[in-house]
Amino acid sequence: MSARNPGVEYDSSWFDNIHVNLPAVKRRAETLGTRRTVKKQWQAAWLLRAVTCIDLTTLAGDDTPSNVSRLCFKAAHPVGKDILKAMEMENEGITVGAVCVYPNRVADCVKYLKAANRPDIPVASVATGFPTGQVPLKTRLEEIKMAVADGAKEIDIVINRHFALEGNWRGVYDEVRMMREACGEAHMKTILATGELGSMVNIYKASMACMMAGADFIKTSTGKEGVNAILPVALVMVRAIREFYQVTGYKVGFKPAGGIRSAKDACTWLSLMKEELGDEWLSPHLFRIGASALLIDIERQLFHFVYGRYAAAHEIPMS
Amino acid sequence: MHCFTGVIGAIVPWNFPLMLLTWKIAPALAMGNTVVLKPATYTRLSALLLAEVCAEAGLPPGVFNVVTGSGAMGSMLAEHPSVDKVAFTGSTGVGQTLRRLTAGSGKKLSLELGGKSPVVVFESADLDSAVEGVVDAIWFNQGQVCSAGSKLLVQEPIYEKMVNKLKERLTHFRVGNSLDKTMDMGAIVDESQRKSIEEYVEEAKKEGAEVFQIKDSVPSGCYYPPTLITNVQTVSRVVAEEIFGPVLVVLPFRTAKEALAISNNTIYGLGGSVWTENVPLALEVALGIKAGTVWINCHNLFDAAAGFGGYKQSGYGRDGGKEGLFEYVRPAWEERPRPGKVQMDLKTFGATLPQRPTFENVDNRQITINGVTMPSIDRTFKMYYGGGQKRPDAPYVRPVINPDGKVVGHVGEGNRKDVRNAVETAHAAAPGWGKRAAHNRAQIVYYMAENLEIRRDEIAGRIQLMTGRKLEECVTEVDLSIQRLFHWGAYCDKYGGGVQETTLYGATVKIHEPVGVIGMACPDSYPLLGFVSLFAPAVVRGNTMIIIPSQNYPLSALDLYQVFDTSDLPGGVVNILTGDRDHLTKYLTEHQDVQSMWYFGSAEGSKFVEFASAENVKRTWVNYGLERDWTDPEQGQGEEFLYQSVQVKNIWIPMGDIFAN
């Protein structure tokens, strides 16, 4: 396990001479789904790995203890015992990577994960005026502290898009630095909201600003933008992670969120990480997928792997 | 108006056995020809399977035929008298052999040959994407691609970074079974090819090159690892020669101008790519690279709508697009020339002896001044090149003798050195002439027409003096020449190219570039009109040229140089050398910096021109000794004149920056 990214001094020269060619990025992104596929037992293994990387998420206006409880129990038992047993994985303690909720539901998660006998599953809270961030800095920072106090071990913040679109990278950096401080021991994922940044160059620069400011993870989107986690955007972000690692030696994680629904997608995302960053980025401490429905599709695929038949969705415990 | 050519002998290589054969047969059949195809010795089965599918689809018997055999059989096919055109894709060496075998036979020939295509990466490029572009360019298909980007040029400030990124990329490059789609690279076609690649790399090592390979990534068998070679320069064999394997050489450069010089410092001209986010830079460099296809921020994209083919020793003719269809048709008025077996000694062709003084047949033209009659001044015409009148290098003249046997003037006897000088001056004038706005070239040509008309009677008189034809016929010839100048003047800015409808999200732009320096040998019929018919289309499309006027009746052309001087034609654009047509043709055709040779003389000369052109794979246009009616618009100013005056470049420009808000 490598050292946590402490961040570095702001250096404006990192934002000079950045060029990204979208057509070429798209061309490369398209190859990942076809040129790096896995089948059979390897696919099953990859899917199980993907399960452990999921931040099982609910971010709705009508979240209450009832559905949050269901989510937490599912997080603790994401794949049916019979399937795990058939794959000889029933004793591995397979859980998702984290559960992800709004600040007001953090305490509930802590309670229900304990009840499900898996208090070790981290609770991640969105914060800082999620999803838009269009609220005063003071309350944004206060949200973080309150969520951490309630038991959140991870905080997903949103960056200031106004600063980003203005090209005020110093402004983005300074705010994220403050947010990192407010997180304390909690790990910080920085949501770039790439669908609102307008260009690939801005995505690259936003990635850099966040990593310089001490992000543990950089995250594509809130899931609420028009365009969320797509491969071309991801390619630009992971190339930034690679550059940051080569320059500073610090490894920053990557989290795509929003729009990832199929098991095949999960494998493609794992291929991206393996190709661009290497095997270390294929585990929960450096890779998470923000998703909800994805888990059910993965389970259906695993069911098929074990039984040779397709299960109906209603035959799988819902989350 | 065009019609089909006849029987196409198609010879295709092993690197894309199915795709490349469809590039030949599709346009051939679409234009109404029949095909006999010889697939490469290594890869025969896909052609045979396709033939079965064609039969199943209902293609009538005999329309598409496949005959398998060795290289020697390919030669037999090319030489067969019933084959009307040879279409070849393969190595430059074999292409040259085919040119020599078919020389003088009247067959059309298209050659798509080798390459050493540059990949030019500027500091304003998306480097990570350029790395993936290099993967597409040189490691796709194990580098066994004619347009492989095998010569990477990286701008100095980002050189280290780019090389390091490439090396890192190779650490997760997958080499293995060709049928496993998760592999990046498969096996080399054959052990002999693998050995050839290995020899190149081993030799480079001996010369002190740095060779980077991840050998462990390669399974045992007929595989060769992706290879990156640095610490080499323009003098290295691995930089100059086509390796046809997964071997990339890397060279640094400082400025865009230098990048162009290094890119074009090769006998080849098939493809190239430019990597930068700077639009004006990208377009200027794309235009400057002398190759048939230039890709911007991508490499090795192909589409049936965009013709693919070479400049320089990468060949001539295009596969794809409307430009590719020209290879499979003839002008409707033209019969397939059948000169038969032209017997001649290629070694002694063009040998000439200077003429002795002609004191017995001197023209006794006289003039009367103030009632006194006296001989008029003898006229010895000089040659004309570099915008000035020049004496021939060797101090000999040639008499111009009319049908009555009288001498009507003298012209210089050109030799190899005059050819050398003229070619140099034509090259010096070429960039400026090509860069001029088309409209400006039109103005000059219209000006020539004006100035020719002013001297209409005088010039008609000279034609009559030389040829003995009726004066009114000669006047008609002058009038047709003026008309022709107007016709071609109007084409200065109406044949620039077009937009190709490929599957690219972006623009695929076809540009009609000048061919370069063209050597021309004019026919004896129509001494003025023949000359104008050849020089005018070439000059309006931005070429420069060395023209040998009619050997027997050169004076009309020499009248024209006064017209050129008074029409603002820059020096060096049109250069006129007089003397023995075949002697001058020989040296023009053998000159490796002449890009095309047009010859309207004898069947023997046509054979020589085609044979000798093989040396630097220059384009040729010969008449096989057959006459054409220069007064007829189809024959004297048809589209084929434009086709011969341009070479086609396709530039691929992907677009896109918007992905969400």
Side-chain angles (χ1 to χ4, degrees), chain B residues 343-461:
Chain B
Q343 302 291 6
M344 62 181 292
D345 186 347
L346 290 162
K347 288 200 186 68
T348 59
F349 176 80
T352 186
L353 283 176
Q355 313 258 321
R356 304 294 304 278
T358 52
F359 52 87
E360 282 168 17
N361 296 318
V362 173
D363 176 29
N364 291 321
R365 269 178 307 148
Q366 315 218 295
I367 62 168
T368 306
I369 304 173
N370 292 333
V372 182
T373 304
M374 62 191 87
S376 67
I377 305 173
D378 291 334
R379 210 169 155 196
T380 298
F381 291 76
K382 297 201 187 62
M383 301 192 291
Y384 175 79
Y385 59 85
Q389 297 178 44
K390 304 282 203 296
R391 294 170 188 284
D393 174 79
Y396 292 106
V397 295
R398 161 181 289 259
V400 180
I401 300 176
N402 72 8
D404 293 332
K406 296 290 178 203
V407 174
V408 298
H410 287 87
V411 296
E413 184 77 31
N415 72 7
R416 175 175 61 84
K417 299 229 175 104
D418 302 303
V419 169
R420 175 199 64 192
N421 295 342
V423 172
E424 262 176 49
T425 180
H427 270 295
W433 186 238
K435 283 205 179 99
R436 284 201 183 208
H439 164 72
N440 186 230
R441 289 197 293 273
Q443 286 177 314
I444 290 174
V445 169
Y446 290 138
Y447 206 177
M448 285 180 202
E450 276 178 41
N451 287 324
L452 189 54
E453 200 198 46
I454 290 168
R455 303 176 53 197
R456 179 176 179 251
D457 293 330
E458 180 207 328
I459 290 176

Side-chain angles (χ1 to χ4, degrees), chain A:
Chain A
M1 212 59 82
S2 49
R4 199 179 167 193
N5 173 26
V8 298
E9 281 284 315
Y10 181 80
D11 181 349
S12 65
S13 72
W14 287 39
F15 299 90
D16 296 334
N17 227 27
I18 306 296
H19 307 286
V20 182
N21 185 278
L22 181 58
V25 164
K26 277 182 170 168
R27 224 175 13 257
R28 168 61 172 158
E30 272 158 22
T31 67
L32 292 163
T34 52
R35 301 285 299 282
R36 290 291 187 266
T37 53
V38 283
K39 302 287 182 203
K40 302 185 188 159
Q41 63 264 46
W42 297 281
Q43 186 184 77
W46 279 45
L47 289 176
L48 210 49
R49 173 59 66 88
V51 168
T52 67
C53 292
I54 291 177
D55 279 4
L56 200 59
T57 304
T58 182
L59 292 168
D62 58 356
D63 285 339
T64 70
S66 305
N67 67 309
V68 170
S69 153
R70 187 167 64 234
L71 188 86
C72 289
F73 273 76
K74 182 73 181 175
H77 306 285
V79 179
K81 277 202 190 67
D82 53 329
I83 294 174
L84 286 177
K85 197 160 177 197
M87 291 173 71
E88 292 175 42
M89 294 295 286
E90 73 271 36
N91 294 321
E92 299 301 318
I94 303 276
T95 68
V96 298
V99 293
C100 184
V101 292
Y102 271 108
N104 278 4
R105 303 269 71 86
V106 172
D108 293 332
C109 286
V110 172
K111 176 170 146 194
Y112 291 118
L113 285 171
K114 192 168 170 195
N117 272 328
R118 293 309 303 257
D120 54 308
I121 298 176
V123 177
S125 175
V126 298
T128 68
F130 183 97
T132 64
Q134 294 276 18
V135 293
L137 180 61
K138 188 169 161 201
T139 58
R140 285 187 271 148
L141 295 173
E142 194 55 33
E143 256 182 55
I144 296 176
K145 292 183 190 137
M146 291 172 77
V148 172
D150 274 359
K153 292 283 187 285
E154 298 176 3
I155 303 289
D156 288 20
I157 64 106
V158 292
I159 65 164
N160 187 325
R161 272 83 98 193
H162 169 206
F163 285 172
L165 287 167
E166 263 188 338
N168 180 4
W169 303 109
R170 177 89 220 207
V172 172
Y173 172 92
D174 285 341
E175 285 195 350
V176 173
R177 248 219 118 79
M178 285 187 253
M179 291 166 182
R180 166 70 192 259
E181 252 194 79
C183 285
E185 288 302 305
H187 279 222
M188 180 178 70
K189 303 195 195 86
T190 57
I191 302 175
L192 308 187
T194 55
E196 293 177 347
L197 292 182
S199 72
M200 292 290 151
V201 167
N202 276 352
I203 293 174
Y204 188 92
K205 290 182 178 178
S207 304
M208 274 308 173
C210 289
M211 291 189 285
M212 288 168 83
D216 294 293
F217 266 69
I218 55 175
K219 178 173 166 184
T220 57
S221 38
T222 65
K224 314 287 185 192
E225 285 89 53
V227 174
N228 290 291
I230 54 171
L231 288 171
V233 157
L235 197 50
V236 173
M237 288 175 70
V238 300
R239 284 172 174 176
I241 291 175
R242 185 168 63 207
E243 181 74 15
F244 186 79
Y245 171 56
Q246 278 166 2
V247 174
T248 66
Y250 298 121
K251 296 182 184 134
V252 173
F254 175 69
K255 176 174 172 180
I260 301 177
R261 289 189 189 86
S262 73
K264 174 143 173 66
D265 285 342
C267 287
T268 305
W269 284 93
L270 283 169
S271 293
L272 169 73
M273 301 309 287
K274 187 180 171 76
E275 273 297 298
E276 295 295 320
L277 291 170
D279 290 354
E280 259 202 87
W281 268 267
L282 289 174
S283 68
H285 80 274
L286 283 174
F287 178 62
R288 299 285 181 80
I289 305 176
S292 37
L294 173 65
L295 181 54
I296 305 303
D297 197 58
I298 290 181
E299 237 184 311
R300 290 182 68 215
Q301 294 305 314
L302 291 174
F303 185 100
H304 181 266
F305 171 70
V306 168
Y307 295 111
R309 305 185 299 276
Y310 286 107
H314 67 252
E315 292 175 322
I316 309 234
M318 58 189 268
S319 51

